[in-house]
Structures are given as structure tokens and as C-alpha cells.
mmCIF file of all heavy atoms in Angstrom:
data_model
loop_
_atom_site.group_PDB
_atom_site.id
_atom_site.type_symbol
_atom_site.label_atom_id
_atom_site.label_comp_id
_atom_site.label_asym_id
_atom_site.label_seq_id
_atom_site.Cartn_x
_atom_site.Cartn_y
_atom_site.Cartn_z
ATOM 1 N N LEU A 1 0.842 -1.211 -0.030
ATOM 2 C CA LEU A 1 0.012 0.003 -0.070
ATOM 3 C C LEU A 1 0.795 1.303 0.012
ATOM 4 O O LEU A 1 0.419 2.283 -0.466
ATOM 5 C CB LEU A 1 -0.870 -0.038 1.248
ATOM 6 C CG LEU A 1 -2.116 -0.989 1.176
ATOM 7 C CD1 LEU A 1 -2.902 -1.042 2.466
ATOM 8 C CD2 LEU A 1 -2.970 -0.628 0.032
ATOM 9 N N ALA A 2 2.072 1.170 0.481
ATOM 10 C CA ALA A 2 2.997 2.281 0.537
ATOM 11 C C ALA A 2 3.663 2.517 -0.905
ATOM 12 O O ALA A 2 4.360 3.537 -1.029
ATOM 13 C CB ALA A 2 4.093 2.130 1.589
ATOM 14 N N GLU A 3 3.483 1.470 -1.709
ATOM 15 C CA GLU A 3 4.117 1.736 -3.098
ATOM 16 C C GLU A 3 3.340 2.745 -3.889
ATOM 17 O O GLU A 3 2.257 3.034 -3.800
ATOM 18 C CB GLU A 3 4.007 0.336 -3.780
ATOM 19 C CG GLU A 3 5.035 -0.765 -3.319
ATOM 20 C CD GLU A 3 6.287 -0.726 -4.264
ATOM 21 O OE1 GLU A 3 6.324 0.219 -5.064
ATOM 22 O OE2 GLU A 3 7.086 -1.628 -4.073
ATOM 23 N N THR A 4 4.115 3.220 -4.916
ATOM 24 C CA THR A 4 3.373 4.059 -5.952
ATOM 25 C C THR A 4 2.403 3.388 -6.706
ATOM 26 O O THR A 4 1.452 3.997 -7.119
ATOM 27 C CB THR A 4 4.435 4.674 -6.856
ATOM 28 O OG1 THR A 4 5.034 3.524 -7.647
ATOM 29 C CG2 THR A 4 5.611 5.443 -6.146
ATOM 30 N N GLY A 5 2.578 2.017 -6.836
ATOM 31 C CA GLY A 5 1.538 1.262 -7.649
ATOM 32 C C GLY A 5 1.863 1.097 -9.117
ATOM 33 O O GLY A 5 1.201 0.270 -9.737
ATOM 34 N N TYR A 6 3.021 1.708 -9.577
ATOM 35 C CA TYR A 6 3.250 1.608 -11.010
ATOM 36 C C TYR A 6 4.480 0.842 -11.193
ATOM 37 O O TYR A 6 5.614 1.229 -10.852
ATOM 38 C CB TYR A 6 3.365 3.052 -11.592
ATOM 39 C CG TYR A 6 2.157 3.818 -11.317
ATOM 40 C CD1 TYR A 6 2.141 5.095 -10.743
ATOM 41 C CD2 TYR A 6 0.862 3.366 -11.845
ATOM 42 C CE1 TYR A 6 1.052 5.849 -10.648
ATOM 43 C CE2 TYR A 6 -0.182 4.092 -11.682
ATOM 44 C CZ TYR A 6 -0.181 5.397 -11.019
ATOM 45 O OH TYR A 6 -1.380 6.084 -10.846
ATOM 46 N N HIS A 7 4.415 -0.337 -11.796
ATOM 47 C CA HIS A 7 5.533 -1.217 -12.164
ATOM 48 C C HIS A 7 5.298 -1.803 -13.583
ATOM 49 O O HIS A 7 4.937 -2.958 -13.608
ATOM 50 C CB HIS A 7 5.774 -2.318 -11.159
ATOM 51 C CG HIS A 7 6.353 -1.795 -9.841
ATOM 52 N ND1 HIS A 7 7.694 -1.544 -9.658
ATOM 53 C CD2 HIS A 7 5.739 -1.582 -8.703
ATOM 54 C CE1 HIS A 7 7.912 -1.213 -8.416
ATOM 55 N NE2 HIS A 7 6.813 -1.162 -7.767
ATOM 56 N N PRO A 8 5.426 -0.974 -14.635
ATOM 57 C CA PRO A 8 5.168 -1.479 -15.985
ATOM 58 C C PRO A 8 5.879 -2.721 -16.343
ATOM 59 O O PRO A 8 5.409 -3.670 -17.012
ATOM 60 C CB PRO A 8 5.592 -0.334 -16.891
ATOM 61 C CG PRO A 8 5.417 0.865 -15.996
ATOM 62 C CD PRO A 8 5.814 0.464 -14.656
ATOM 63 N N ARG A 9 7.206 -2.815 -15.816
ATOM 64 C CA ARG A 9 7.963 -4.060 -16.089
ATOM 65 C C ARG A 9 7.468 -5.242 -15.259
ATOM 66 O O ARG A 9 7.579 -6.414 -15.559
ATOM 67 C CB ARG A 9 9.428 -3.853 -15.767
ATOM 68 C CG ARG A 9 10.206 -3.009 -16.854
ATOM 69 C CD ARG A 9 11.605 -2.898 -16.245
ATOM 70 N NE ARG A 9 12.488 -2.194 -17.270
ATOM 71 C CZ ARG A 9 13.066 -2.818 -18.339
ATOM 72 N NH1 ARG A 9 12.964 -4.150 -18.548
ATOM 73 N NH2 ARG A 9 13.868 -2.165 -19.129
ATOM 74 N N GLY A 10 6.898 -4.979 -14.079
ATOM 75 C CA GLY A 10 6.392 -5.889 -13.151
ATOM 76 C C GLY A 10 7.096 -5.704 -11.784
ATOM 77 O O GLY A 10 8.219 -5.101 -11.668
ATOM 78 N N LEU A 11 6.545 -6.264 -10.789
ATOM 79 C CA LEU A 11 6.984 -6.211 -9.409
ATOM 80 C C LEU A 11 8.381 -6.847 -9.385
ATOM 81 O O LEU A 11 8.558 -8.022 -9.825
ATOM 82 C CB LEU A 11 6.022 -6.890 -8.456
ATOM 83 C CG LEU A 11 6.203 -6.626 -6.904
ATOM 84 C CD1 LEU A 11 5.958 -5.197 -6.540
ATOM 85 C CD2 LEU A 11 5.360 -7.576 -6.109
ATOM 86 N N PRO A 12 9.361 -6.208 -8.902
ATOM 87 C CA PRO A 12 10.737 -6.645 -8.878
ATOM 88 C C PRO A 12 10.873 -8.105 -8.372
ATOM 89 O O PRO A 12 11.586 -9.006 -8.894
ATOM 90 C CB PRO A 12 11.573 -5.773 -8.101
ATOM 91 C CG PRO A 12 10.996 -4.459 -8.335
ATOM 92 C CD PRO A 12 9.480 -4.807 -8.320
ATOM 93 N N GLU A 13 10.192 -8.368 -7.214
ATOM 94 C CA GLU A 13 10.296 -9.770 -6.682
ATOM 95 C C GLU A 13 9.747 -10.805 -7.558
ATOM 96 O O GLU A 13 10.259 -12.001 -7.544
ATOM 97 C CB GLU A 13 9.685 -9.896 -5.198
ATOM 98 C CG GLU A 13 8.169 -9.598 -5.276
ATOM 99 C CD GLU A 13 7.594 -9.506 -3.841
ATOM 100 O OE1 GLU A 13 7.657 -8.296 -3.394
ATOM 101 O OE2 GLU A 13 7.194 -10.506 -3.343
ATOM 102 N N LEU A 14 8.712 -10.565 -8.285
ATOM 103 C CA LEU A 14 8.139 -11.483 -9.223
ATOM 104 C C LEU A 14 9.076 -11.753 -10.418
ATOM 105 O O LEU A 14 9.330 -12.784 -10.929
ATOM 106 C CB LEU A 14 6.743 -11.045 -9.706
ATOM 107 C CG LEU A 14 6.095 -11.911 -10.814
ATOM 108 C CD1 LEU A 14 6.074 -13.408 -10.328
ATOM 109 C CD2 LEU A 14 4.712 -11.362 -11.231
ATOM 110 N N ARG A 15 9.583 -10.665 -10.945
ATOM 111 C CA ARG A 15 10.606 -10.821 -12.118
ATOM 112 C C ARG A 15 11.783 -11.621 -11.567
ATOM 113 O O ARG A 15 12.431 -12.443 -12.364
ATOM 114 C CB ARG A 15 10.963 -9.476 -12.570
ATOM 115 C CG ARG A 15 9.884 -8.584 -13.260
ATOM 116 C CD ARG A 15 10.114 -7.115 -13.400
ATOM 117 N NE ARG A 15 11.299 -6.908 -14.192
ATOM 118 C CZ ARG A 15 12.187 -5.997 -13.887
ATOM 119 N NH1 ARG A 15 11.952 -5.070 -12.962
ATOM 120 N NH2 ARG A 15 13.296 -5.784 -14.553
ATOM 121 N N GLU A 16 12.217 -11.379 -10.433
ATOM 122 C CA GLU A 16 13.346 -12.221 -9.988
ATOM 123 C C GLU A 16 13.033 -13.659 -9.786
ATOM 124 O O GLU A 16 13.789 -14.551 -10.202
ATOM 125 C CB GLU A 16 13.885 -11.653 -8.644
ATOM 126 C CG GLU A 16 14.520 -10.293 -8.609
ATOM 127 C CD GLU A 16 14.742 -9.715 -7.262
ATOM 128 O OE1 GLU A 16 14.508 -10.355 -6.264
ATOM 129 O OE2 GLU A 16 15.097 -8.576 -7.166
ATOM 130 N N ALA A 17 11.692 -13.904 -9.329
ATOM 131 C CA ALA A 17 11.253 -15.247 -9.159
ATOM 132 C C ALA A 17 11.252 -15.962 -10.521
ATOM 133 O O ALA A 17 11.589 -17.162 -10.642
ATOM 134 C CB ALA A 17 9.986 -15.274 -8.366
ATOM 135 N N VAL A 18 10.634 -15.301 -11.481
ATOM 136 C CA VAL A 18 10.476 -15.822 -12.827
ATOM 137 C C VAL A 18 11.889 -16.049 -13.376
ATOM 138 O O VAL A 18 12.121 -17.115 -14.112
ATOM 139 C CB VAL A 18 9.619 -15.015 -13.720
ATOM 140 C CG1 VAL A 18 9.644 -15.473 -15.127
ATOM 141 C CG2 VAL A 18 8.180 -14.846 -13.163
ATOM 142 N N ALA A 19 12.760 -15.136 -13.341
ATOM 143 C CA ALA A 19 14.157 -15.325 -13.872
ATOM 144 C C ALA A 19 14.793 -16.608 -13.241
ATOM 145 O O ALA A 19 15.451 -17.338 -13.951
ATOM 146 C CB ALA A 19 14.934 -13.994 -13.596
ATOM 147 N N ASP A 20 14.667 -16.737 -11.915
ATOM 148 C CA ASP A 20 15.260 -17.916 -11.268
ATOM 149 C C ASP A 20 14.560 -19.190 -11.799
ATOM 150 O O ASP A 20 15.274 -20.207 -11.975
ATOM 151 C CB ASP A 20 15.078 -17.772 -9.783
ATOM 152 C CG ASP A 20 15.969 -16.705 -9.111
ATOM 153 O OD1 ASP A 20 16.955 -16.270 -9.837
ATOM 154 O OD2 ASP A 20 15.741 -16.276 -8.016
ATOM 155 N N HIS A 21 13.338 -19.100 -11.979
ATOM 156 C CA HIS A 21 12.618 -20.260 -12.544
ATOM 157 C C HIS A 21 13.142 -20.742 -13.909
ATOM 158 O O HIS A 21 13.386 -21.875 -14.060
ATOM 159 C CB HIS A 21 11.094 -19.924 -12.653
ATOM 160 C CG HIS A 21 10.263 -20.967 -13.353
ATOM 161 N ND1 HIS A 21 9.992 -22.214 -12.884
ATOM 162 C CD2 HIS A 21 9.593 -20.848 -14.596
ATOM 163 C CE1 HIS A 21 9.227 -22.783 -13.702
ATOM 164 N NE2 HIS A 21 8.907 -22.051 -14.729
ATOM 165 N N TYR A 22 13.263 -19.754 -14.721
ATOM 166 C CA TYR A 22 13.780 -20.131 -16.171
ATOM 167 C C TYR A 22 15.316 -20.574 -16.006
ATOM 168 O O TYR A 22 15.713 -21.533 -16.744
ATOM 169 C CB TYR A 22 13.724 -18.999 -17.063
ATOM 170 C CG TYR A 22 12.309 -18.875 -17.635
ATOM 171 C CD1 TYR A 22 11.566 -17.592 -17.596
ATOM 172 C CD2 TYR A 22 11.627 -19.903 -18.257
ATOM 173 C CE1 TYR A 22 10.287 -17.393 -18.061
ATOM 174 C CE2 TYR A 22 10.422 -19.787 -18.803
ATOM 175 C CZ TYR A 22 9.772 -18.589 -18.717
ATOM 176 O OH TYR A 22 8.501 -18.420 -19.264
ATOM 177 N N THR A 23 16.067 -19.973 -15.132
ATOM 178 C CA THR A 23 17.425 -20.392 -15.038
ATOM 179 C C THR A 23 17.450 -21.764 -14.505
ATOM 180 O O THR A 23 18.271 -22.578 -15.021
ATOM 181 C CB THR A 23 18.200 -19.397 -13.960
ATOM 182 O OG1 THR A 23 18.183 -18.103 -14.458
ATOM 183 C CG2 THR A 23 19.608 -19.912 -13.736
ATOM 184 N N GLY A 24 16.567 -22.186 -13.663
ATOM 185 C CA GLY A 24 16.411 -23.485 -13.179
ATOM 186 C C GLY A 24 16.037 -24.584 -14.218
ATOM 187 O O GLY A 24 16.389 -25.787 -14.074
ATOM 188 N N LEU A 25 15.406 -24.055 -15.211
ATOM 189 C CA LEU A 25 14.952 -24.993 -16.373
ATOM 190 C C LEU A 25 16.064 -25.110 -17.482
ATOM 191 O O LEU A 25 15.908 -25.751 -18.445
ATOM 192 C CB LEU A 25 13.748 -24.374 -17.003
ATOM 193 C CG LEU A 25 12.447 -24.346 -16.182
ATOM 194 C CD1 LEU A 25 11.313 -23.654 -17.092
ATOM 195 C CD2 LEU A 25 12.026 -25.730 -15.813
ATOM 196 N N GLY A 26 17.277 -24.510 -17.227
ATOM 197 C CA GLY A 26 18.262 -24.590 -18.190
ATOM 198 C C GLY A 26 18.351 -23.343 -19.175
ATOM 199 O O GLY A 26 19.040 -23.416 -20.107
ATOM 200 N N LEU A 27 17.660 -22.352 -18.773
ATOM 201 C CA LEU A 27 17.613 -21.064 -19.574
ATOM 202 C C LEU A 27 18.088 -19.916 -18.791
ATOM 203 O O LEU A 27 17.271 -19.241 -18.167
ATOM 204 C CB LEU A 27 16.294 -20.823 -20.190
ATOM 205 C CG LEU A 27 15.978 -19.535 -20.965
ATOM 206 C CD1 LEU A 27 16.887 -19.486 -22.181
ATOM 207 C CD2 LEU A 27 14.579 -19.474 -21.349
ATOM 208 N N PRO A 28 19.383 -19.572 -18.699
ATOM 209 C CA PRO A 28 19.956 -18.562 -17.869
ATOM 210 C C PRO A 28 19.177 -17.168 -18.137
ATOM 211 O O PRO A 28 19.052 -16.829 -19.324
ATOM 212 C CB PRO A 28 21.418 -18.418 -18.113
ATOM 213 C CG PRO A 28 21.778 -19.849 -18.648
ATOM 214 C CD PRO A 28 20.452 -20.219 -19.309
ATOM 215 N N THR A 29 18.636 -16.644 -17.046
ATOM 216 C CA THR A 29 17.744 -15.380 -17.354
ATOM 217 C C THR A 29 18.060 -14.469 -16.197
ATOM 218 O O THR A 29 18.187 -14.750 -14.992
ATOM 219 C CB THR A 29 16.288 -15.825 -17.238
ATOM 220 O OG1 THR A 29 15.982 -16.827 -18.305
ATOM 221 C CG2 THR A 29 15.372 -14.588 -17.472
ATOM 222 N N SER A 30 18.020 -13.117 -16.506
ATOM 223 C CA SER A 30 18.139 -12.025 -15.588
ATOM 224 C C SER A 30 16.765 -11.252 -15.477
ATOM 225 O O SER A 30 15.985 -11.351 -16.488
ATOM 226 C CB SER A 30 19.207 -11.117 -15.905
ATOM 227 O OG SER A 30 18.986 -10.538 -17.229
ATOM 228 N N PRO A 31 16.491 -10.674 -14.345
ATOM 229 C CA PRO A 31 15.241 -10.026 -14.210
ATOM 230 C C PRO A 31 14.905 -8.916 -15.350
ATOM 231 O O PRO A 31 13.675 -8.626 -15.598
ATOM 232 C CB PRO A 31 15.346 -9.329 -12.875
ATOM 233 C CG PRO A 31 16.259 -10.199 -12.056
ATOM 234 C CD PRO A 31 17.204 -10.680 -13.178
ATOM 235 N N ASP A 32 15.966 -8.305 -15.921
ATOM 236 C CA ASP A 32 15.633 -7.297 -16.876
ATOM 237 C C ASP A 32 15.217 -7.899 -18.170
ATOM 238 O O ASP A 32 14.867 -7.121 -19.128
ATOM 239 C CB ASP A 32 16.912 -6.427 -17.157
ATOM 240 C CG ASP A 32 18.073 -7.212 -17.811
ATOM 241 O OD1 ASP A 32 18.073 -8.432 -17.672
ATOM 242 O OD2 ASP A 32 19.117 -6.611 -18.301
ATOM 243 N N GLN A 33 15.075 -9.248 -18.329
ATOM 244 C CA GLN A 33 14.541 -9.975 -19.436
ATOM 245 C C GLN A 33 13.181 -10.324 -19.352
ATOM 246 O O GLN A 33 12.488 -10.857 -20.150
ATOM 247 C CB GLN A 33 15.382 -11.144 -19.748
ATOM 248 C CG GLN A 33 16.762 -10.977 -20.146
ATOM 249 C CD GLN A 33 17.553 -12.339 -20.478
ATOM 250 O OE1 GLN A 33 18.050 -12.792 -19.547
ATOM 251 N NE2 GLN A 33 17.480 -12.751 -21.643
ATOM 252 N N ILE A 34 12.487 -9.923 -18.012
ATOM 253 C CA ILE A 34 11.269 -10.330 -17.749
ATOM 254 C C ILE A 34 10.245 -9.116 -17.860
ATOM 255 O O ILE A 34 10.628 -8.120 -17.213
ATOM 256 C CB ILE A 34 11.159 -11.020 -16.433
ATOM 257 C CG1 ILE A 34 12.004 -12.229 -16.304
ATOM 258 C CG2 ILE A 34 9.686 -11.400 -15.995
ATOM 259 C CD1 ILE A 34 11.714 -13.338 -17.343
ATOM 260 N N VAL A 35 9.116 -9.275 -18.385
ATOM 261 C CA VAL A 35 8.071 -8.330 -18.328
ATOM 262 C C VAL A 35 6.807 -8.953 -17.930
ATOM 263 O O VAL A 35 6.434 -10.053 -18.435
ATOM 264 C CB VAL A 35 7.732 -7.694 -19.712
ATOM 265 C CG1 VAL A 35 6.548 -6.619 -19.468
ATOM 266 C CG2 VAL A 35 9.032 -6.886 -20.242
#
């Protein structure tokens, strides 16, 4: 609730989780590759 509410790329923690997920599948990924 204290956030501005605007994250067009996505919430950083979700982008990090998705990047780790793909890295675990054999596809090295960084959060800046996730939208």
C-alpha cells in the first residue's frame, strides 16, 4: 500500500522469481529480461 503502484515491467520480486525459474529450467535469465 505504501508503493506508488506503478511497475510496468512488473514487481521486482516477481521478475526475480520468474528469472530464477527459467534459470532452473536450463535457460539462464536475468530480471531485466522479464516483463
Side-chain angles (χ1 to χ4, degrees):
L1 288 173
E3 282 265 9
T4 63
Y6 303 124
H7 287 280
R9 285 180 175 271
L11 195 65
E13 65 188 83
L14 176 54
R15 291 166 55 218
E16 290 170 8
V18 173
D20 291 345
H21 170 68
Y22 281 126
T23 299
L25 295 178
L27 175 58
T29 303
S30 59
D32 66 342
Q33 293 178 273
I34 303 298
V35 179

